[in-house]
Amino acid sequence: MFDDLPMSRTPPPRTVYGLRTIGVVALSFVLWATITTEPRPALSGSGLGVLLSLVAIVAGIAGSAPRPQLPRGMRLAALTLTAAGGIALYAFQPEGAAIGITYYVIAMSAMRLPRTPAVLVTALAIGGQAVAALFVAKDPGGQILSIVFSTLPWFLVIRLMRELREGRDRAESLVEELRESREAHAQSVTLAERARVARDMHDVLAHSLSALALQLEGTRLQAVDRGTDPEVVAAIERAHHLAAGGLDEARRAIAALRGDELPGPERLRALADAFEEHTDARCTLTVAGVPNELTPEARLALYRTAQEALTNVRRHSAADRVAMRLDHRDDGTTLVVEDHGPGAPVVVGPSAGGGYGLTGMRERAELLGGRLSAGPTASGFRVELWVPAA
């Protein structure tokens, strides 16, 4: 109960410095008035009482300075000592500025202590001075009323300000929790939808491609057994490889939807090897620079762009050589896919079979803050993608 309440929000620095400046000026005035008012601090008589009261006040203020957190009960003890010093100072020096110490105790109690300790310390400070006024004031009744009605509203106002601030902080905390809850709900809905799409792809697309690959393999074996034209057998074998590759890509897409690691530039070598396996053209890959940090979306864009470019070369061009270059720089990564040889230019619209095409890749690059260009060259076609570093 006597712990300092945690301050959930720190006031702006200018406000803090302003309040501290006012407090320091007020306490300095109280100390100056104490030193210059009779009886002055001394080592004997009433002056000794003033001196000891002043020592208690200074020690109490030092122990209750407005730090956000203090050990258990330390602020309460320090404010109690300050209040006792203020009461004693008023008793020895009734014409001084001891009432300023009461204001300090009330303000610190209202701002920094829990409700019950704050009320007790405030009652001690006000009640103690009221009792002292009975013995030293020229007009005890008027002085007591002055002490009570000038200090008690101070406590109530500061306490109300504290309650309003804490209520505001609680409201802001609830709003933040609500926002986080909504984000978590939205993420949960997204994950559920991705899981549903992954299940549908697995049950429909992957199943169909798997059946197609098996059917093509069976057709190829029958064609070989029946002595079918070798070109027909080769065409069936290429179709089987394409179906198997599509099945592999479908499985990777399903894994990505389920949260598995997305493919990235480290798999470009596998793309080049697969391209050479299914065509008569050579495909080289050159990597320059030190790999930098890329977002998962940028990594996927590099892989998909290379994949789409190679697919278009295989379908629409008779190139005998394809060169891929991956260039890592400080500001981002550049991928260049360029084919060399006769044949029609590589298409940049949606690819045959309903793929995304390089137009879709260009849109993806722009969403990432990158850029994609594609166009014919003197010896073929060139696709260039740049994505920024993370």
Side-chain angles (χ1 to χ4, degrees):
M1 180 177 68
F2 295 102
D3 290 326
D4 289 337
L5 288 182
M7 305 305 291
S8 57
R9 185 176 296 274
T10 301
R14 291 183 179 179
T15 303
V16 172
Y17 295 148
L19 292 175
R20 287 179 179 176
T21 300
I22 293 173
V24 169
V25 171
L27 290 175
S28 299
F29 173 77
V30 170
L31 296 178
W32 175 82
T34 301
I35 295 173
T36 58
T37 302
E38 296 294 340
R40 298 185 180 186
L43 298 178
S44 61
S46 297
L48 179 59
V50 173
L51 179 61
L52 294 177
S53 301
L54 195 58
V55 170
I57 291 170
V58 172
I61 292 175
S64 61
R67 294 184 292 270
Q69 296 292 334
L70 287 175
R72 180 186 295 269
M74 179 177 177
R75 196 188 304 275
L76 175 63
L79 287 174
T80 302
L81 177 62
T82 307
I87 295 169
L89 180 62
Y90 178 73
F92 288 107
Q93 197 182 70
E95 302 299 327
I99 191 65
I101 302 302
T102 303
Y103 279 115
Y104 170 81
V105 172
I106 290 174
M108 289 299 299
S109 299
M111 286 191 299
R112 297 296 188 180
L113 292 181
R115 181 177 301 171
T116 300
V119 170
L120 292 176
V121 172
T122 298
L124 171 64
I126 297 176
Q129 282 217 1
V131 171
L134 291 174
F135 299 95
V136 300
K138 296 179 181 179
D139 179 13
Q143 187 66 24
I144 291 173
L145 291 176
S146 176
I147 292 173
V148 172
F149 288 106
S150 65
T151 57
L152 186 58
W154 183 254
F155 173 81
L156 296 176
V157 169
I158 294 179
R159 193 69 197 183
L160 177 61
M161 292 174 58
R162 171 182 171 137
E163 296 291 343
L164 291 175
R165 182 191 62 202
E166 291 176 349
R168 181 197 63 192
D169 291 344
R170 286 192 296 269
E172 291 180 355
S173 177
L174 289 175
V175 170
E176 182 65 20
E177 290 179 4
L178 178 61
R179 185 187 65 79
E180 293 177 355
S181 176
R182 287 180 175 177
E183 289 180 353
H185 175 71
Q187 185 177 11
S188 175
V189 171
T190 301
L191 292 176
E193 180 63 15
R194 289 174 61 181
R196 185 191 66 79
V197 173
R199 288 193 301 269
D200 290 346
M201 289 182 63
H202 179 272
D203 295 340
V204 179
L205 179 60
H207 179 75
S208 299
L209 287 174
S210 178
L212 177 61
L214 290 175
Q215 186 67 30
L216 288 171
E217 178 62 15
T219 302
R220 185 188 68 82
L221 294 176
Q222 289 182 3
V224 171
D225 290 342
R226 296 178 183 181
T228 305
D229 191 311
E231 291 185 0
V232 175
V233 175
I236 296 174
E237 186 172 357
R238 286 195 298 271
H240 173 262
H241 283 306
L242 290 174
L247 177 60
D248 186 52
E249 288 300 323
R251 287 171 175 168
R252 290 197 184 103
I254 292 171
L257 286 171
R258 289 175 174 169
D260 295 348
E261 184 178 359
L262 298 174
E266 69 281 352
R267 293 179 59 180
L268 294 183
R269 171 57 61 189
L271 284 179
D273 293 342
F275 178 84
E276 288 187 337
E277 181 180 349
H278 298 148
T279 65
D280 296 329
R282 291 190 304 110
C283 184
T284 60
L285 173 63
T286 304
V287 180
V290 178
N292 46 30
E293 191 71 21
L294 297 172
T295 63
E297 293 79 9
R299 289 167 45 81
L300 180 62
L302 290 169
Y303 176 81
R304 293 301 187 196
T305 300
Q307 183 184 46
E308 186 69 24
L310 292 177
T311 298
N312 286 337
V313 171
R314 185 171 60 243
R315 290 176 177 175
H316 305 284
S317 175
D320 54 16
R321 180 169 61 89
V322 178
M324 285 199 300
R325 177 179 175 84
L326 192 65
D327 191 4
H328 298 286
R329 297 183 180 179
D330 294 338
D331 61 339
T333 300
T334 301
L335 169 69
V336 176
V337 182
E338 186 172 0
D339 66 274
H340 303 271
V346 179
V347 297
V348 296
S351 60
Y356 285 108
L358 291 178
T359 298
M361 296 298 103
R362 179 181 291 113
E363 294 173 354
R364 174 179 290 184
E366 291 174 353
L367 289 175
L368 295 173
R371 57 183 178 271
L372 183 141
S373 60
T377 64
S379 60
F381 202 84
R382 173 187 174 94
V383 176
E384 180 175 337
L385 169 68
W386 175 83
V387 292

